[in-house]
């Protein structure tokens, strides 16, 4: 069944209420553990259907944010999803209080109930109005960014499309594109700042209603972080600051040398260009990249070949940028059809290839875990999900000749260099968000000033030229996670540190590393993050010294490249 044949079903709150009411009654009236388990499994199947309907609406809306039918369906979902969450919350209260809890734990696992208890702490009927408003504000932000129209070189471009000009070989083009992006954010700054301010106050209000000091602890619970806390993350950021920041600065100096410039003369847009001869550029058009990816996954393993053909045959990739399409890229999953979906905005840059490895890594894990019966165990928490995607980027390394031709070495070097350089940016976004929610009454000006201060500490090479909005600390307004998924950004850095372990292992024994990776994907989300690492024999980034142990061999690989000839 092709994606376009999947029906668009607008949610009915009455139907949800009826289904959940019946399930709660059946669970309360269960005479045996077997009866209770049957009710749980029946509701899980219904939850899969509900999740599928909501996901299809979300995908269709992101594919065409200007479509009135999709807008209406998305608005309805935003409005009633917190009410649906409230019904599931009532179900959860009955479930954890079941007289058959012990027997159910033996069947479903202790972690299953830990997840439910965590969700009960992070949700209550009294915060439903705030959750409805939170959804609306997030959609409002997405719509503003999706509707961006920037006049540039005789074209009208969205934020994804103008990106290729910001990395152009010509310095003036890079400057002008970056200035145009900055200008657009400057023109829309007041509205974006208003949306974020409302989101921060809403989240702070919810946290206090639920008895938390501020949104930080609630934010962690909403992300299912059950085996680490903000203190552990703070210590992890310290490790990144001590190891990745100095290594990144060395790499930026190498970059300036490659470009024939003094480090002090480099503007932020100059760092967008990795090589004087131009950034590595994929060979061919989108259809050629898809053909190359198909060959790669056919060769990589039997599982990847079957999976990628399933995606292609069922039209589960939408990759081209176009007017009205939301910016960015993502993978999502529709359990009714056991089908992942990949969304992106190709723009003719190396980022297009990254989509065909990164987002495909997410989708591959979803595909391998599709037969796990308990929905809560199919996918792990966000930071663990990113291990699948970032590791796949590294497993794709041997195939880069097909994507980049003579530019393959340039890509490999810039990809690994970028993986290291991303870490300081990732902790910048994370530290900023902690400060924001610890100081919810700060003004927009104060937020920008704080971001600028953190940015200068972790990425001191940045020098903004003719970009006044970003120079004063407004870069965070570009980062959609800050708006829609608070605290979901450090996850990428944690996953990167773990994915680098696969990179190091595959250089020693590719077959062994691949088997370990497939095992991790099939493991799904049967443990929280730290537990998942332990079960799969991977280093825990929170433990002192582990970040250095991972980055040291990566630094040696980077040193082995002769980038002066690229």
């Amino acid at each position: 069944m092709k994606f376009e044949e999947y029906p668009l079903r607008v949610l009915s709150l009455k139907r949800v209420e009826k289904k959940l009411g019946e399930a709660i009654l059946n669970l309360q009236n269960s005479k045996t553990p077997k009866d209770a388990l049957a009710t749980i499994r029946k509701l899980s199947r219904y939850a899969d259907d509900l999740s599928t309907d909501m996901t299809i609406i979300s995908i269709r809306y992101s594919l065409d944010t200007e479509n009135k039918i999709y807008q209406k369906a998305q608005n309805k979902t935003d409005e009633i999803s917190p009410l649906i969450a409230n019904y599931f919350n009532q179900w959860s209260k009955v479930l954890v209080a079941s007289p058959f809890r012990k027997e159910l734990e033996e069947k479903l696992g202790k972690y299953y109930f830990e997840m439910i208890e965590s969700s009960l702490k992070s949700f209550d009927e009294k915060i439903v109005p705030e959750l409805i408003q939170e959804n609306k504000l997030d959609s409002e932000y997405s719509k503003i960014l999706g509707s961006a129209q920037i006049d540039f070189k005789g074209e009208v471009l969205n934020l994804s499309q103008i990106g290729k000009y910001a990395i152009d070989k010509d310095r003036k083009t890079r400057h002008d594109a970056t200035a145009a992006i900055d200008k657009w954010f400057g023109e829309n700054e007041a509205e974006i700042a208003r949306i974020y301010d409302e989101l921060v106050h809403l989240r702070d209000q919810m946290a206090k209603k639920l008895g938390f000091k501020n949104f930080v602890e609630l934010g962690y619970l909403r992300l299912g972080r059950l085996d680490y806390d903000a203190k552990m993350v703070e210590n992890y950021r310290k490790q990144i600051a001590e190891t990745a920041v100095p290594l990144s600065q060395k790499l930026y100096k190498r970059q300036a040398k490659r470009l024939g410039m003094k480090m002090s003369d480099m503007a932020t847009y100059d760092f967008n260009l990795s090589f004087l001869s131009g950034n590595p550029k994929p060979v061919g058009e989108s259809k050629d990249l898809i053909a190359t990816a198909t060959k790669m996954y056919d060769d990589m393993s039997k599982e990847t070949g079957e999976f990628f053909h399933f995606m292609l045959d069922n039209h589960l990739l939408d990759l081209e940028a176009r007017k009205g399409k939301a910016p960015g890229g993502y993978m999502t999953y529709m359990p009714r059809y056991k089908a992942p979906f990949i969304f992106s905005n190709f723009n003719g840059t190396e980022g297009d290839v990254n989509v065909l490895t990164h987002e495909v890594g997410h989708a591959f894990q979803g595909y391998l875990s599709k037969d796990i019966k308990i929905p809560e165990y199919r996918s792990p928490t966000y930071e663990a999900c990113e291990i699948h995607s970032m590791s796949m980027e590294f497993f794709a390394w041997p195939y880069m000749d097909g994507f980049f031709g003579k530019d393959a070495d340039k890509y490999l070097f810039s990809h690994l260099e970028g993986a290291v350089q991303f870490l300081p940016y990732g902790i910048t976004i994370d530290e900023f968000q902690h400060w924001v929610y610890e100081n919810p009454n700060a003004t927009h000006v104060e937020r920008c000033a704080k971001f600028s201060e953190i940015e200068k500490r972790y990425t001191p090479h940045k020098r903004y030229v003719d970009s006044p909005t970003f120079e004063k600390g407004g870069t965070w307004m570009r980062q959609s996670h800050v708006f829609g998924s608070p605290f979901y950004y450090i996850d990428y850095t944690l996953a990167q540190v773990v994915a680098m372990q696969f990179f190091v292992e595959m250089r020693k024994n590719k077959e062994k590393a691949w088997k370990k990776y497939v095992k991790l994907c099939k493991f799904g989300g049967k443990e929280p993050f730290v537990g998942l690492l332990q079960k799969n024999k991977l280093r825990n980034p929170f433990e002192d010294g582990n970040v250095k142990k991972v980055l040291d061999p990566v630094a040696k690989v980077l040193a082995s490249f002769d980038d002066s000839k690229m």
Side-chain angles (χ1 to χ4, degrees), residues 10 177 206 236 263 312 327 421:
V10 180
M206 284 190 277
Y236 165 74
M263 188 71 170
L312 293 174
Q421 291 169 336

Side-chain angles (χ1 to χ4, degrees), residues 105 303 559:
E105 273 195 19
E303 300 107 320

Side-chain angles (χ1 to χ4, degrees), residues 475-497:
T475 310
W476 60 269
M477 292 189 290
R478 300 181 70 171
Q479 197 61 65
S480 62
H481 303 71
V482 171
F483 293 79
S485 306
F487 297 116
Y488 174 28
Y489 209 73
I490 199 72
D491 308 63
Y492 291 111
T493 73
L494 290 164
Q496 190 66 270
V497 171

